[in-house]
Amino acid sequence: MSIALQEAQNAALRGEVPVGAVVVRDGVVLASAGNRTRELHDPSAHAEILALRGAGAKTGSERLIGCDLWVTLEPCPMCAAAISFARIRRLYFGTDDPKGGAVVNGARLYDLPTCHHAPEVYGGFAEIEARDLLRDFFRSRR
């Protein structure tokens, strides 16, 4: 999670919402990323999506079997679906997102019968640090 937090801090320095993500397989980091939606002018350039793309490119596969994803914020519906399609084994996240999350809040995508693959989900990792990064970022913009 420390790498994901560093990616989130780097995102904040770029003026992006501070979210970071890391894809790991067998203890090896395959890819990490922070949000880049503003920089790339791309609404899909969330940290999770960019990390999944990087891991897919590195492995040569769209299915990341045996991989785990660490992310600082509960994934949104778009990212939760991409995580499912990538066949991520375990999802670890920092703080939950009551407004935009889709894993333990909102749509609860992995609980739906139409979800083809649901990763194991574990929340609350470095929760305070992840929450404080987001809170401080948005506080500075108000």
Side-chain angles (χ1 to χ4, degrees), residues 8 13 24 28 36 42 46 56 60 66-67 74 76 79 113 121 128-129:
L13 292 173
V24 178
V28 175
R36 292 185 178 273
D42 179 355
H46 289 197
C67 291
E74 175 187 357
C76 72
C79 293
V121 175
I128 294 168
E129 295 93 327

Side-chain angles (χ1 to χ4, degrees), residues 107-129:
R108 300 180 140 214
L109 183 80
Y110 304 137
D111 293 339
L112 298 175
T114 54
C115 182
H116 295 291
H117 170 78
E120 295 174 32
V121 175
Y122 304 94
F125 288 86
E127 180 177 12
I128 294 168
E129 295 93 327

Side-chain angles (χ1 to χ4, degrees), residues 8-18 35 37-39 137 141:
Q9 291 168 349
N10 292 343
L13 292 173
R14 294 189 304 270
E16 302 277 359
V17 174
N35 276 356
T37 58
R38 296 179 64 118
E39 175 186 343
F137 176 81
R141 279 156 176 65

Side-chain angles (χ1 to χ4, degrees), residues 30-51:
L30 297 178
S32 65
N35 276 356
R36 292 185 178 273
T37 58
R38 296 179 64 118
E39 175 186 343
L40 299 176
H41 310 290
D42 179 355
S44 71
H46 289 197
E48 301 95 317
I49 300 293
L50 296 175

Side-chain angles (χ1 to χ4, degrees), residues 1 3 15 20 22 27 32 36 45 50 63 67-68 71 81 94 105 117-118 131-132 135 139-141:
M1 185 59 92
I3 296 170
V22 182
S32 65
R36 292 185 178 273
L50 296 175
R63 292 197 176 177
C67 291
D68 301 329
V71 62
N105 289 288
H117 170 78
R131 185 187 62 223
D132 288 351
R135 186 191 62 222
R139 184 178 288 154
S140 73
R141 279 156 176 65

